Amino acid sequence: MRSTDLDEEIAALAHTTGMKKLLDRLRTERDAMREEADAAVVAEFPELVERADAAVRRQVIDATFRRVVHRLQGRGGSDSDAETHRAFGAAAAYAGVPLERLTTAYRIGARVGWTHIRRAVRELELGGEFALLLADAQLAYVDELTSNTIEGYARAVESTYHRQARERQSLVEDLLSGRATRQAVAELGWDPADEPAVAVLYGDTDLDEPPQPDLLVGTFDGAVIAIGPAGTLERLLRDRPAVLGPPVKITELSRSFERARRLANLVTTGTLTRTGALKWTDELATIIVHGVPEASEELAARRLDPLRDPSAERERMLYDTLAAWLDHPGKPRQIAAHLHLHPQTVHYRLARLRERLGDQLDDPQARFELALALRYRHSAR
């Protein structure tokens, strides 16, 4: 039955003798209904006693009763009663009461009310059609006040989320600019033994769903960042596109941020090709060789150009052999084990490598530059 049709049928009965008798009976039993409804809800959800005291609960029950009576009289519900249910929904949200508990509480209260109405209809001999109409009306009215309550609840949740987001963002800015108070830092509850760090996030990295209580997520200087204990950051960001700055003292977080952003720039510009989270402390050599890209390019060209070959397979063989030689200089057997080759094959490869590079393989400075050039080439691929 549509709401407008139901209202019209109720309005047609509002001035009948039967409706007047029913309303008189309900007014007489109002206090009993309030006590029964409150007791039933508290019995189902005892924790509600701690989050909404008796006065508040009874205020809501009374507002519900008035709304039902007004509608049965053919009058619209008052704005103040609707606002009472919105305010109750908001208060429940702030108190941490789950929304499903609220809607269940309304159904429990409605069941108590319907028990009184059904008994009154039977004792007043108002007839089955009258009872069915009242049942439809009660369901519609409970839906209406539940809707008001959910509206207030949703507004409070949204308001709380935005307020908390603003507070988190403010704390992020204070931490990175050195303005954070000792109290604010202490309230974070981080383990003093696990130094904090800053991570720069890029790509599709969402740390707010679900929320991570050990992290502060916000923006700073145009970058999306997360701040938290270094161990926690590493654990939560392990498989995500992010760059972790070095662990630092709480007063030096700006340094961790600057380093994380410098490494992140290498990734986002395509200079480095990596997946998952990167740590500044694991990429120091790579960062050094990319500190002045032009110098690294010239170094790689000067040291590695002799390895260029029309055959891509032969060129790859030369690079692999060089990398193994630099890891195990002068140790053909270890190189053979590393490359899973026969020692004779390694001797052959080393001879081909020496034809290209000559005495560079024996010069410590040249070997150092070859290693840097290889790292640059590998990270830039």
Side-chain angles (χ1 to χ4, degrees):
M1 180 180 296
R2 292 182 304 173
S3 178
T4 52
D5 295 338
L6 181 62
D7 288 340
E8 290 174 1
E9 291 196 44
I10 292 294
L13 293 174
H15 302 292
T16 64
T17 301
M19 182 63 80
K20 290 179 180 178
K21 288 182 178 179
L22 175 64
L23 291 174
D24 287 342
R25 176 72 170 267
L26 294 179
R27 291 188 186 97
T28 300
E29 297 181 1
R30 182 184 64 179
D31 291 347
M33 281 192 287
R34 180 204 298 136
E35 297 301 325
E36 289 175 30
D38 187 47
V41 171
V42 170
E44 183 74 18
F45 306 123
E47 70 273 19
L48 200 61
V49 175
E50 301 175 2
R51 302 185 181 183
D53 63 27
V56 172
R57 299 195 305 272
R58 292 180 181 185
Q59 179 185 10
V60 175
I61 294 172
D62 286 346
T64 303
F65 182 84
R66 283 195 301 272
R67 292 183 77 167
V68 172
V69 169
H70 287 167
R71 299 299 289 271
L72 293 180
Q73 289 175 330
R75 300 159 53 188
S78 70
D79 291 339
S80 62
D81 286 338
E83 189 55 40
T84 295
H85 287 100
R86 292 190 190 97
F88 182 63
Y94 290 132
V97 178
L99 182 58
E100 63 271 17
R101 293 293 179 91
L102 279 184
T103 56
T104 300
Y106 280 134
R107 288 196 294 272
I108 292 172
R111 189 164 63 239
V112 171
W114 175 243
T115 299
H116 282 259
I117 291 174
R118 185 178 58 194
R119 184 171 59 241
V121 168
R122 183 177 63 250
E123 293 176 358
L124 294 172
E125 300 180 346
L126 298 179
E129 288 296 324
F130 199 99
L132 290 175
L133 181 62
L134 290 176
D136 284 342
Q138 186 188 36
L139 290 174
Y141 301 157
V142 170
D143 283 347
E144 182 180 288
L145 63 90
T146 300
S147 177
N148 292 150
T149 302
I150 292 174
E151 180 184 351
Y153 192 99
R155 288 179 180 176
V157 169
E158 183 178 11
S159 172
T160 300
Y161 175 82
H162 289 303
R163 175 179 55 78
Q164 291 175 342
R166 288 193 299 271
E167 291 175 352
R168 289 197 305 269
Q169 178 60 33
S170 178
L171 183 52
V172 164
E173 294 173 1
D174 288 347
L175 284 169
L176 288 176
S177 59
R179 297 193 305 266
T181 64
R182 290 184 179 180
Q183 180 180 353
V185 172
E187 289 175 355
L188 291 171
W190 292 342
D191 183 357
D194 191 359
E195 287 190 317
V198 179
V200 172
L201 314 178
Y202 60 92
D204 186 16
T205 301
D206 185 357
L207 292 178
D208 276 338
E209 296 295 340
Q212 303 294 343
D214 291 336
L215 300 185
L216 280 173
V217 180
T219 61
F220 189 76
D221 201 17
V224 179
I225 66 170
I227 308 175
T232 302
L233 277 176
E234 185 174 355
R235 175 174 54 83
L236 293 176
L237 296 175
R238 182 176 296 112
D239 300 319
R240 303 180 190 237
V243 171
L244 282 64
V248 293
K249 296 179 180 179
I250 196 78
T251 56
E252 299 175 347
L253 282 169
S254 60
R255 180 164 62 87
S256 183
F257 166 69
E258 290 298 340
R259 282 155 176 68
R261 182 162 64 173
R262 189 179 306 170
L263 180 54
N265 287 341
L266 295 178
V267 177
T268 56
T269 57
T271 303
L272 295 182
T273 54
R274 297 284 194 274
T275 58
L278 295 182
K279 295 170 59 179
W280 168 272
T281 50
D282 290 344
E283 301 289 341
L284 292 176
T286 301
I287 294 163
I288 290 170
V289 300
H290 286 283
V292 183
E294 297 83 356
S296 298
E297 290 173 6
E298 291 179 17
L299 176 66
R302 181 161 63 89
R303 290 298 185 185
L304 301 178
D305 267 3
L307 301 185
R308 291 184 180 275
D309 195 280
S311 168
E313 184 177 354
R314 188 181 299 114
E315 183 174 312
R316 181 179 59 79
M317 178 269 290
L318 291 167
Y319 277 118
D320 290 346
T321 305
L322 174 60
W325 170 264
L326 292 173
D327 287 340
H328 310 285
K331 299 177 180 178
R333 291 189 177 278
Q334 292 187 23
I335 295 173
H338 179 79
L339 295 177
H340 305 290
L341 296 173
H342 191 279
Q344 283 299 110
T345 304
V346 169
H347 283 294
Y348 171 80
R349 286 192 175 193
L350 289 174
R352 304 289 76 75
L353 192 63
R354 192 170 290 279
E355 288 175 359
R356 305 281 184 121
L357 298 177
D359 293 340
Q360 293 186 70
L361 295 178
D362 305 315
D363 182 344
Q365 177 64 28
R367 286 204 304 269
F368 173 72
E369 292 185 4
L370 283 166
L372 288 180
L374 275 182
R375 178 172 287 273
Y376 177 78
R377 176 180 179 274
H378 173 73
S379 61
R381 291 175 65 180

